[in-house]
Amino acid sequence: RNNVEGLKVISGERIWMEWKKILVGNYAAELTLRMIQLGLGPYIGLPENPNLQEFERVWKASQAKNIKLNPTTLLAGLLANEEEVLDLHGRLKMSGAERDNAIFIIEHRQDEPHPDDPLRTYQYLQVDGRTKDTSTFIQEVLAYKGELDLLERFKKWDPPRFPVTGHHLTEAGV
C-alpha cells in the first residue's frame, strides 16, 4: 500500500502481461479485488469506481460452470463503457483484439435474446460483423453470460455465404 505510486513508472505492457496471468489463474477475482482494495486501480488503468459486483458475478458464474474466460472477457466486468476500456487500453497497451473484445462484450452483454430463437441474436451479429474476430467476440460474450448451450450451438452454426462475390460482379462488368 505504501509503494503503490511506484506503479507509475512501470510500463503498462509489463503490468498487463502480469495481470493477464492473474486473470487466468485460480484466484483471479480474489487477487484483482485485493489489488483494487489496496488502491492499485488508478495506477493500472481502472476507472475510479470499477463495477466490482459485475466482476464478481461473472467470475463466480464462470467458476460454477467451469468456463475458462479470456482475460479481457473477465476484465470487461469491471468496466462500464467504451471510454473506460479505451482509458484502460491507454495505460496497459493491450492488443487491438483484446481492446476490441472488451468493447464488444460491454456493448453486447445486455443484449436481449431473439423471441423466436435466442441464437438468432448472435447469428445476426455474426452476419453483420465487420471484423474477422466477430465470431470469437460473440463466443466470448456467450461465455461471459454463462450461456454454454448457446455457445455450443453458435460454434456448430455455419453462417450463410452470400451467393454473389466481387469476382462475379467483375465478370458481369459491374
Side-chain angles (χ1 to χ4, degrees):
R1 195 179 303 230
N2 297 336
N3 299 320
V4 72
E5 287 191 23
L7 283 173
K8 286 183 200 175
V9 297
I10 306 295
S11 75
E13 294 91 341
R14 177 59 189 244
I15 292 169
W16 180 230
M17 185 176 71
E18 299 301 331
W19 197 7
K20 276 197 293 190
K21 293 175 187 175
I22 291 171
L23 289 168
V24 297
N26 293 333
Y27 301 102
E30 293 88 345
L31 291 173
T32 298
L33 293 171
R34 184 62 150 168
M35 288 165 51
I36 294 167
Q37 185 182 53
L38 292 173
L40 273 66
Y43 300 99
I44 58 176
L46 288 176
E48 190 175 316
N49 294 307
N51 191 341
L52 303 178
Q53 292 80 18
E54 177 69 2
F55 178 78
E56 279 191 278
R57 184 199 66 75
V58 172
W59 170 253
K60 287 177 182 176
S62 71
Q63 292 300 99
K65 295 183 178 186
N66 201 26
I67 300 171
K68 287 288 182 196
L69 294 176
N70 180 309
T72 53
T73 301
L74 180 58
L75 194 57
L78 289 168
L79 308 171
N81 55 46
E82 182 175 343
E83 182 182 333
E84 290 182 357
V85 174
L86 294 177
D87 289 345
L88 183 73
H89 173 64
R91 173 63 177 117
L92 298 182
K93 310 292 190 276
M94 300 181 286
S95 72
E98 290 169 329
R99 175 202 62 216
D100 294 346
N101 180 56
I103 290 170
F104 192 89
I105 288 169
I106 288 168
E107 287 177 354
H108 298 287
R109 64 184 167 194
Q110 300 296 328
D111 286 355
E112 292 295 321
H114 192 279
D116 295 334
D117 180 6
L119 184 61
R120 190 162 301 163
T121 301
Y122 303 102
Q123 290 171 329
Y124 289 155
L125 283 174
Q126 173 66 38
V127 171
D128 292 341
R130 292 177 182 85
T131 71
K132 62 180 175 61
D133 295 323
T134 301
S135 179
T136 303
F137 295 163
I138 291 169
Q139 290 176 40
E140 290 298 318
V141 168
L142 292 169
Y144 178 95
K145 294 172 83 171
E147 301 280 356
L148 293 179
D149 294 339
L150 280 179
L151 177 59
E152 287 308 311
R153 285 181 58 204
F154 183 79
K155 285 180 179 179
K156 292 176 184 173
W157 175 69
D158 286 323
R161 300 280 177 222
F162 193 68
V164 179
T165 66
H167 184 67
H168 291 118
L169 295 175
T170 305
E171 286 178 352
V174 176

